[in-house]
Amino acid sequence: MRAKICWRALLLCSISMTSCVYADEQEAIHWLVVDSQPLFIVDNGSLAGGAIGILLLHLVQQMPEVQHVVEVSNNNRGFNDFLNGKLRCTGGLVKKTQRESLLHFSQPVLPFLPNGLAYSTSSSALIERHDHNGHFDVGALLMEPKLRIGVIAGRSNGELLDNLLGQAAMKPRLMAFTKTNDAEKLLHMVSLKRLDIAIVNPTEIGRIQKLGQLEDNLHFLPLMAQSNEQYLYFGCTKGEWGARHIARINDLLKNSPLLAEAAAIYAEYLPRRLVDLYRQRVETFLALNR
């Protein structure tokens, strides 16, 4: 089914990344895509699928009345477009208060598990020092002297981590990479002890684990306490244009089998010990959205 959706959408709308030309931006949707598995899978310059990618391809297929342009971008460049008021839409977003001033958000489309901390065996004692009978004090950990932390710039890591990482005292501790798919480099640096901690998504850990490339000395601590339930959304530029397209997106994504397929793709990339927890969340989510 996944291949069928992608193939039909690509034939129908010819959405190679920047080749589509349109006269009036009001009559088109310019989609920003981050090349980040499992949310988006990009192959030879074209959107080929992914958990959010198949939803976007479905939207393209179901909206032939408008032209579609899909452009691979990084987080920072994409949000600069929104800051500048350009008419854009994107998917795979975490909803944050700051973003709601720039974007209209869709209804939630995919449950996800929050980002967490990757660390090596050599840092285990440091991590355990901040575990108080199951309550993990991430704030105290991140303020440890001389701690070296790797992050992906422009990414939301959830309200808790975003607030902590935004503090002025944190800046000297951070090593920021600009590309979403640089998480593998961060993890390798943790394994080599060039970083103490990398803040990554569990799917990034799971993907490397699945490929058999996860170093034996790496561990992952998901920060579940950030929120009991977290979701990913589509978003379009704030204003009448964005509100109109979000209303259409909401209508077209009332499709439980498609949402279940998206969740199954996401689950394929999770660490094995988190798959059952995620599937329970998906079952609850789909039951509430029937």
Side-chain angles (χ1 to χ4, degrees):
M1 179 178 177
R2 187 184 319 160
K4 182 178 179 181
I5 291 172
C6 296
W7 178 244
R8 288 183 62 195
L10 289 167
L11 280 178
L12 183 64
C13 300
S14 300
I15 56 172
S16 64
M17 290 304 168
T18 56
S19 62
C20 184
V21 178
Y22 51 89
D24 185 351
E25 198 168 20
Q26 289 292 119
E27 298 176 356
I29 300 180
H30 191 123
W31 297 96
L32 297 175
V33 167
V34 176
D35 184 5
S36 175
Q37 300 181 27
L39 300 186
F40 296 103
I41 297 174
V42 176
D43 184 23
N44 292 324
S46 293
L47 178 61
I52 298 296
I54 65 164
L55 302 182
L56 194 161
L57 290 168
H58 173 77
L59 294 173
V60 168
Q61 183 184 14
Q62 296 300 316
M63 300 171 71
E65 70 276 10
V66 296
Q67 294 173 310
H68 299 269
V69 179
V70 179
E71 179 185 351
V72 175
S73 177
N74 62 38
N75 288 302
N76 282 336
R77 188 165 72 246
F79 272 94
N80 279 336
D81 284 353
F82 290 119
L83 282 168
N84 292 326
K86 293 182 179 180
L87 301 181
R88 302 285 187 265
C89 293
T90 190
L93 292 174
V94 176
K95 186 184 285 189
K96 296 174 57 180
T97 302
Q98 303 95 309
R99 292 179 175 181
E100 290 184 277
S101 65
L102 301 173
L103 299 161
H104 289 289
F105 281 89
S106 69
Q107 295 298 311
V109 295
L110 184 70
F112 82 108
L113 299 183
N115 291 4
L117 311 178
Y119 60 97
S120 68
T121 300
S122 62
S123 297
S124 294
L126 174 64
I127 299 295
E128 291 167 2
R129 189 158 73 231
H130 297 282
D131 185 352
H132 307 292
N133 297 320
H135 176 72
F136 190 78
D137 190 344
V138 64
L141 169 66
L142 295 183
M143 293 306 295
E144 282 277 353
K146 299 181 180 179
L147 192 72
R148 300 164 299 174
I149 306 167
V151 297
I152 302 295
R155 168 190 285 181
S156 173
N157 294 291
E159 296 285 353
L160 171 63
L161 282 175
D162 286 347
N163 289 336
L164 290 169
L165 295 175
Q167 296 176 11
M170 292 299 302
K171 290 183 180 180
R173 306 163 185 261
L174 299 180
M175 174 179 287
F177 282 54
T178 57
K179 296 179 181 178
T180 301
N181 53 14
D182 279 337
E184 188 171 344
K185 295 179 183 177
L186 290 178
L187 293 171
H188 190 55
M189 292 178 73
V190 171
S191 180
L192 295 176
K193 302 180 185 179
R194 294 176 183 171
L195 289 171
D196 300 300
I197 290 171
I199 297 176
V200 296
N201 190 277
T203 57
E204 291 160 338
I205 291 284
R207 181 169 64 90
I208 297 172
Q209 183 184 67
K210 188 175 180 180
L211 293 171
Q213 298 173 355
L214 187 66
E215 290 88 342
D216 291 339
N217 67 331
L218 278 183
H219 310 278
F220 179 68
L221 176 67
L223 296 176
M224 297 298 185
Q226 291 192 79
S227 174
N228 290 329
E229 296 291 343
Q230 294 193 6
Y231 304 97
L232 297 177
Y233 301 79
F234 280 86
C236 295
T237 304
K238 198 82 168 180
E240 185 277 333
W241 182 91
R244 175 162 47 87
H245 286 303
I246 285 297
R248 184 81 171 113
I249 288 168
N250 283 337
D251 184 54
L252 291 172
L253 289 182
K254 293 176 181 176
N255 185 326
S256 292
L258 181 64
L259 297 178
E261 183 182 0
I265 294 171
Y266 182 90
E268 289 176 6
Y269 287 75
L270 287 172
R272 288 181 289 274
R273 66 187 183 90
L274 296 177
V275 171
D276 287 344
L277 170 64
Y278 180 70
R279 286 175 175 164
Q280 291 171 8
R281 292 191 174 186
V282 170
E283 287 179 7
T284 301
F285 170 72
L286 293 177
L288 292 173
N289 287 275
R290 284 188 181 133

